[in-house]
Amino acid sequence: MGGTNGNTTGIGPTAALSWYKLSSSNGGLGATRSYKTTTLSFTKAMSEIDYNRPFASSTSNHCRACAGYWVFYDSGEDCLLINDPANGGSDYWEAVSGSPEGLRIYVIF
């Protein structure tokens, strides 16, 4: 995205959403139906992943990508597969309950 936020490399959710919606001819992604929300539905997360649309998953201080989910039918502890740039870009499973996530950006073309 090529943005900076103060002394920290990266951009905030509002600028990220603008970039997702910006046309590709203007240097953006061109996903004009993208939106941000604080409604953190596991069902919606499953639907987006099932449609091959990973989404931005933001905590209070940075953004990660959610690229998968796991439903634990026997334990009731559903998880999201998170790719976290602050963690060296590694993937890890994060339980939905107790997650630090506070905002999502769904990227929809």
Side-chain angles (χ1 to χ4, degrees):
M1 294 179 183
T4 59
N5 182 12
N7 294 326
T8 306
T9 301
I11 60 176
T14 299
L17 181 60
S18 294
W19 183 82
Y20 294 139
K21 289 182 170 187
L22 187 66
S23 70
S24 55
S25 62
N26 288 322
L29 191 58
T32 58
R33 297 184 310 141
S34 299
Y35 65 97
K36 63 182 178 177
T37 182
T38 55
T39 302
L40 308 177
S41 162
F42 186 69
T43 302
K44 177 67 174 169
M46 291 189 307
S47 174
E48 291 301 303
I49 297 303
D50 288 347
Y51 282 106
N52 296 312
R53 294 191 299 236
F55 57 89
S57 166
S58 297
T59 67
S60 62
N61 62 356
H62 75 286
C63 186
R64 310 96 45 91
C66 178
Y69 65 88
W70 187 262
V71 179
F72 289 93
Y73 294 104
D74 54 347
S75 68
E77 190 62 63
D78 300 326
C79 294
L80 297 174
L81 180 62
I82 300 295
N83 179 276
D84 193 342
N87 206 22
S90 64
D91 293 331
Y92 57 86
W93 291 104
E94 180 174 278
V96 173
S97 64
S99 170
E101 181 181 40
L103 178 122
R104 291 180 182 165
I105 299 177
Y106 293 113
V107 181
I108 304 171
F109 290 87

